[in-house]
Amino acid sequence: MPHDSDDIFEADNATRRDRGPVDHPTMLSSCSRAATAEEARYRVQYPNSMTRSSRIFALDEAAAEAMYGITEEPWNDAHFLTLAARGKVSPDTRPEDLPLSRPDGAAASLLDEIEGADVVVLLASDGTSEGAAEVIARECFERRIMCAGLALGQGRSDAAVATVVNSMRRFARVLVVAQDDDFIPAMLTALRA
Amino acid sequence: MLRKEVNDLLTQTDPGTTMGEMFRQYWIPALLARELPEDDCPPVRVKLLGERLIAFRDSKGRYGLMDEFCAHRGVSLWFGRNEEGGLRCPYHGWKYDVNGQCIEVPSEPEESGFCEKIKLKAYPLIKVGDVLWTHMGDKENRPPEPEWEFATVPEDQTYTSKRWQECNWLQAMEGGIDSSHVSFLHSGGLKSDPLFKGAKGNQYNANDKKPVFEVTESDGGLFIGARRMAEEGHYYWRITPWVMPSFTMVPPRGDHPVHGHFWVPIDDYNCWAWSFDYHPTRPLTPEELQAMKDGYGVHNKYESEDSFRPLQNKDNDYLMDRAAQKSGESYSGIWGIAMQDASLQESMGPVVDRTRENLVSTDNGIIMARHRLRKAAIALRDKGVQPPGRTTEHQMVRSAAKVLPDDQPFKDAMAEDLTVRPGVKQTSV
Ligand code: FES
Ligand SMILES: [Fe+2]
């Protein structure tokens, strides 16, 4: 039947009128029954997903500060990491040389951390971390890991935020600019981190 | 994923609920102006935010929206006689004016002043554009009258329709924010729909099915940018604005009229999907207008003229066409862009259980919108802070589509394109 023209409707209207509702008998599996509130309680209650592994990288001091506020919450399989050494990281840094640390101060390795990760989230509050973002994003790209960037705008000017965004734009498949740090836990919860 | 308490908070809009109070801070579309076409025309039943109301237009052309039921013994005023400056209950003749004030109780002596003691709850009803708007909150906090561009351009440049959608407002609205479904669900429509097809932008859409998303906050809500590959060194950007609580616009294509939606709760299980199409600088052509009336683009065909129920609905399985699905003519097998969305959203159930969803990073527009709605609703409830989206300034947004050099952030490079500029055409590819 031609679907991009009116014919289907002209024809269908006519037949619908002629044949009446019998044309569309309501069966047990019809939308009219299946989509009711009553039927909603028969939804299969088994889990429909397995635990996700998320890796959250705070790329600068203020981002780390904002991240530390939430690392204690009960997450599923989220690892929170920061750059151990402050200051600029060259984009040519080898992944094994990127200095990372966990919230308790222990050292961590980028390659170990992103092995088997489902999603990587980069947190940044200034534009100084482009090099580190590139090193992490490159490894994600090679492993086909989804990489999202979250630019933190709380208390910062539009221009400052623009530099952050620019520093992550090339690497993130999704880039979010959040005016408040409380979006970090909201986003991680939504993503089942 | 949303915890159950948060899902309940965002989806419930009856009087006294947190989100219900939030919706009561705005002017919201209540009826199409053509539903009350002339003075003393038949009254119309309206249900909004879980309240049953009656709308009418009196002998002097004043609009009224009030409690549906007569204060005497509870008869529905839908049966009322609309005459001589008021709506009269046909049971014992009590009569009300557009403010809900009872102005006549025939059984009582006129001098007794009894009728002054009787007043139905009433809300203002004003006409802006093709739409009658109401504000269901406190008079003291009434926002400025709505100034959305679609409602303020000359009459011949705009067309609005509404359809009853049988599910909660939030899952419907989230469809308006979720631009990543377009390359799938609407892939057929981009090629064939008279109000979509033929734009250069459609090729970029078709060639790059993995857009990159950028979500940024605006004063009134969000801009959700989707970026696709264009010519060497350039990106094709499509920007969807969302303004609180429930206004979304689709990025334009070519010189087609620009479209968008308002999503208004009827009750927790039903909502109105308002759909508008306008052109900022020229009248709609007769062909465009006809296509809109015929249910193309964001509009739809109706079961019957004034039911506002789509012809394709859950009782006829949306006229599912498996052959068209198989051939790819229609990605889901459902005809029409609007009903492709509505059918799937209704299939989620009256209120989708968001504790079971598995969002991914590209859903960040939705995640952010929920986050902002929740924060605004709680700030209003706990601290009396008025939510964003109420002021004219916040409503002065446009959707836009543009090809930009790859080093330019859309928010700066498209700042003007995303703002209403009277007399200036929409930015489109
Ligand atoms: S693929 Fe998105 S709802 Fe099923
Ligand atoms: Fe859609």
Side-chain angles (χ1 to χ4, degrees):
Chain A
M1 248 194 272
H3 223 250
D4 55 350
S5 73
D6 252 2
D7 304 359
I8 177 178
F9 275 93
E10 307 301 302
D12 216 280
N13 275 341
T15 46
R16 254 168 63 77
R17 268 193 300 273
D18 294 350
R19 284 182 277 164
V22 186
D23 194 23
H24 289 281
T26 299
M27 296 188 289
L28 264 178
S29 66
S30 297
C31 292
S32 59
R33 285 186 74 112
T36 57
E38 203 192 349
E39 288 296 312
R41 74 188 176 92
Y42 298 109
R43 291 201 171 199
V44 173
Q45 284 307 314
Y46 293 96
N48 60 10
S49 61
M50 287 186 287
T51 305
R52 282 188 213 182
S53 292
S54 349
R55 303 292 177 257
I56 298 96
F57 294 88
L59 299 179
D60 54 62
E61 201 122 8
E65 226 22 75
M67 185 182 80
Y68 284 143
I70 59 151
T71 52
E72 294 297 302
E73 288 174 32
W75 300 103
N76 291 314
D77 183 17
H79 292 191
F80 294 92
L81 302 148
T82 54
L83 289 181
R86 300 291 175 229
K88 282 208 187 273
V89 173
S90 154
D92 304 324
T93 308
R94 293 185 312 166
E96 49 273 40
D97 295 337
L98 190 73
L100 293 174
S101 69
R102 297 180 208 286
D104 62 6
S109 130
L110 176 61
L111 295 179
D112 292 348
E113 285 297 339
I114 66 169
E115 197 53 51
D118 299 301
V119 60
V120 161
V121 180
L122 305 176
L123 300 179
S125 72
D126 61 38
T128 61
S129 33
E130 196 165 1
E134 181 162 349
V135 177
I136 299 168
R138 201 166 49 220
E139 298 306 314
C140 293
F141 184 79
E142 271 170 24
R143 291 169 181 72
R144 301 285 180 268
I145 298 170
M146 166 60 92
C147 187
L150 179 52
L152 304 172
Q154 190 162 310
R156 293 179 191 89
S157 69
D158 278 2
V161 176
T163 19
V164 192
V165 173
N166 286 339
S167 72
M168 291 195 289
R169 173 164 291 113
R170 286 190 294 135
F171 314 119
R173 280 294 313 270
V174 179
L175 202 51
V176 185
V177 186
Q179 291 310 327
D180 289 304
D181 289 351
D182 60 5
F183 185 65
I184 307 173
M187 170 177 163
L188 294 178
T189 305
L191 294 177
R192 295 182 179 276
Chain B
M1 194 272 283
L2 272 191
R3 295 198 314 276
K4 182 176 183 307
E5 317 83 85
V6 185
N7 199 29
D8 291 348
L9 181 137
L10 292 177
T11 52
Q12 298 173 356
T13 57
D14 284 358
T17 58
T18 304
M19 202 59 201
E21 286 311 305
M22 167 110 159
F23 263 101
R24 286 169 172 78
Q25 306 305 309
Y26 299 90
W27 285 102
I28 53 173
L31 298 102
L32 285 163
R34 54 183 179 268
E35 290 180 75
L36 294 176
E38 59 192 23
D39 298 351
D40 287 336
C41 61
V44 177
R45 277 190 178 116
V46 194
K47 190 179 181 191
L48 288 172
L49 308 180
E51 295 185 48
R52 305 230 20 169
L53 305 165
I54 193 86
F56 69 108
R57 176 168 163 181
D58 76 5
S59 320
K60 294 201 190 97
R62 295 177 301 180
Y63 292 107
L65 181 66
M66 62 192 187
D67 184 346
E68 179 187 336
F69 301 98
C70 179
H72 181 211
R73 291 189 51 222
V75 160
S76 170
L77 293 169
W78 180 81
F79 291 91
R81 301 174 59 89
N82 190 7
E83 58 190 15
E84 292 155 355
L87 190 59
R88 190 188 289 281
C89 179
Y91 213 1
H92 310 92
W94 292 28
K95 184 173 174 184
Y96 303 89
D97 71 11
V98 288
N99 300 313
Q101 180 63 52
C102 182
I103 47 176
E104 223 186 299
V105 175
S107 64
E108 303 299 298
E110 223 173 284
E111 310 75 46
S112 73
F114 175 76
C115 67
E116 282 159 34
K117 301 209 160 138
I118 306 289
K119 188 173 191 304
L120 295 174
K121 178 69 188 166
Y123 301 114
L125 192 64
I126 58 168
K127 181 176 181 301
V128 180
D130 287 344
V131 180
L132 301 179
W133 307 74
T134 188
H135 171 248
M136 293 169 66
D138 293 341
K139 203 174 170 185
E140 303 74 63
N141 288 324
R142 190 146 296 159
E145 293 190 1
E147 289 220 39
W148 305 97
E149 190 176 28
F150 81 91
T152 52
V153 292
E155 221 174 300
D156 57 356
Q157 293 174 210
T158 186
Y159 176 79
T160 306
S161 71
K162 70 173 194 182
R163 90 183 129 72
W164 167 24
Q165 183 159 334
E166 297 174 61
C167 71
N168 184 263
W169 77 279
L170 184 62
Q171 67 212 52
M173 184 192 79
E174 286 175 350
I177 294 177
D178 167 22
S179 54
S180 65
H181 76 275
V182 178
S183 310
F184 298 92
L185 182 61
H186 305 313
S187 49
L190 290 190
K191 284 181 239 138
S192 60
D193 192 290
L195 296 168
F196 277 70
K197 69 181 179 190
K200 170 128 196 275
N202 296 0
Q203 291 164 20
Y204 300 126
N205 254 90
N207 293 345
D208 185 355
K209 294 224 187 266
K210 281 195 179 282
V212 174
F213 291 95
E214 278 192 37
V215 182
T216 72
E217 295 182 48
S218 63
D219 294 336
L222 292 178
F223 287 122
I224 299 112
R227 168 187 110 190
R228 291 178 170 81
M229 294 299 182
E231 289 74 22
E232 182 70 39
H234 289 76
Y235 291 127
Y236 167 62
W237 284 94
R238 295 179 59 73
I239 318 295
T240 303
W242 166 68
V243 181
M244 284 198 227
S246 62
F247 173 88
T248 57
M249 272 183 85
V250 182
R253 295 177 187 279
D255 192 45
H256 288 306
V258 198
H259 29 254
H261 303 277
F262 248 108
W263 313 90
V264 179
I266 296 174
D267 54 32
D268 292 348
Y269 288 0
N270 297 276
C271 67
W272 287 119
W274 286 82
S275 304
F276 59 81
D277 245 302
Y278 74 102
H279 197 291
T281 56
R282 66 159 171 84
L284 305 177
T285 66
E287 295 75 31
E288 285 169 346
L289 209 52
Q290 196 55 49
M292 292 166 198
K293 290 180 178 161
D294 287 345
Y296 287 96
V298 290
H299 308 280
N300 62 282
K301 295 167 191 289
Y302 294 98
E303 195 171 40
S304 73
E305 195 55 35
D306 37 49
S307 66
F308 296 110
R309 193 179 195 222
L311 170 62
Q312 302 154 271
N313 57 54
K314 55 161 81 167
D315 294 335
N316 54 28
D317 287 332
Y318 308 93
L319 304 177
M320 165 60 87
D321 182 344
R322 295 289 180 190
Q325 184 184 51
K326 195 157 219 156
S327 73
E329 226 173 304
S330 161
Y331 193 76
S332 73
I334 304 298
W335 184 91
I337 288 171
M339 293 315 298
Q340 286 161 1
D341 287 317
S343 56
L344 298 188
Q345 291 156 6
E346 291 183 1
S347 82
M348 296 168 166
V351 185
V352 65
D353 177 1
R354 292 181 175 80
T355 66
R356 290 183 59 79
E357 67 184 6
N358 287 279
L359 298 187
V360 291
S361 303
T362 47
D363 294 316
N364 256 297
I366 289 174
I367 297 174
M368 178 69 98
R370 292 177 185 172
H371 177 65
R372 287 206 67 180
L373 278 175
R374 173 169 172 239
K375 276 181 67 170
I378 289 176
L380 171 70
R381 183 190 67 194
D382 296 350
K383 302 196 191 96
V385 179
Q386 287 298 334
R390 289 166 34 101
T391 61
T392 308
E393 206 192 353
H394 291 181
Q395 298 171 1
M396 287 291 154
V397 295
R398 275 186 184 173
S399 58
K402 197 173 193 175
V403 173
L404 291 179
D406 60 9
D407 59 348
Q408 287 188 20
F410 83 79
K411 213 187 171 192
D412 304 338
M414 293 175 70
E416 285 203 338
D417 309 297
L418 296 170
T419 310
V420 170
R421 290 164 297 158
V424 179
K425 214 172 102 85
Q426 72 273 30
T427 304
S428 182
V429 182

